[in-house]
Amino acid sequence: MEIRTGGRGDVEQIAALHTESWRTAYAGVMPSGFLDGPLYEDRLALWHGRLLQPQPAAGLFVAVGGGGMDGFAYLVPRPDGHLLLDNLHIRPGRTGSGIGGRLLRHVLAWAATEHPGRDVRLEVLRANTRAIAFYERHGALRTDERICLFEQGFELPELEYTWAAGSVPTASG
């Protein structure tokens, strides 16, 4: 498996993996009308926007194996100075294979190098217990909880996790 910087040529694969990941991880959590609706088109528009007009200092990384894209992660600087790990998705069926851990270590090492002194945070739905366990195993600390308001008209409880700047590993694996 190779981890590389993502780019414009990855838009469709990222949107498809993002859709597949949400439909799998959030079945029974998010409204079925949302997950069964035009989710791919929504994710495609999101990634077109992110990659055709990239935000300065953001990082997109993809994990590619023999069968294509197995995962991706996206970090973006926030106005308060931290980095938001806005996406970390592994292809359903490939979770538990170590890809997520390698991708996360790569992302955290990149953050420590490119944005020294900045915390890395993420938001995860409270019902996504598998992801929560993964982040906690990898050293993230719960720092907040709130309600996430989705523009599609529903809300769900979410948790915030943080890797403090001093705790971010500097070597990728």
Side-chain angles (χ1 to χ4, degrees), residues 75-146:
L75 286 101
V76 62
R78 303 305 300 162
D80 69 0
H82 77 272
L83 292 171
L84 177 65
L85 178 54
D86 197 36
N87 297 101
L88 176 62
H89 295 276
I90 305 305
R91 180 170 306 288
R94 300 286 290 146
T95 56
S97 66
I99 295 168
R102 285 189 59 197
L103 190 55
L104 179 61
R105 286 188 299 277
H106 183 91
V107 162
L108 293 174
W110 175 85
T113 300
E114 297 297 319
H115 301 279
R118 289 187 174 193
D119 293 347
V120 174
R121 295 184 189 153
L122 63 84
E123 297 155 347
V124 59
L125 294 179
R126 179 186 289 279
N128 194 347
T129 55
R130 185 174 180 154
I132 290 167
F134 171 81
Y135 296 129
E136 289 178 352
R137 273 194 318 273
H138 287 85
L141 300 175
R142 186 182 304 178
T143 49
D144 202 0
E145 58 184 281
R146 59 187 153 264

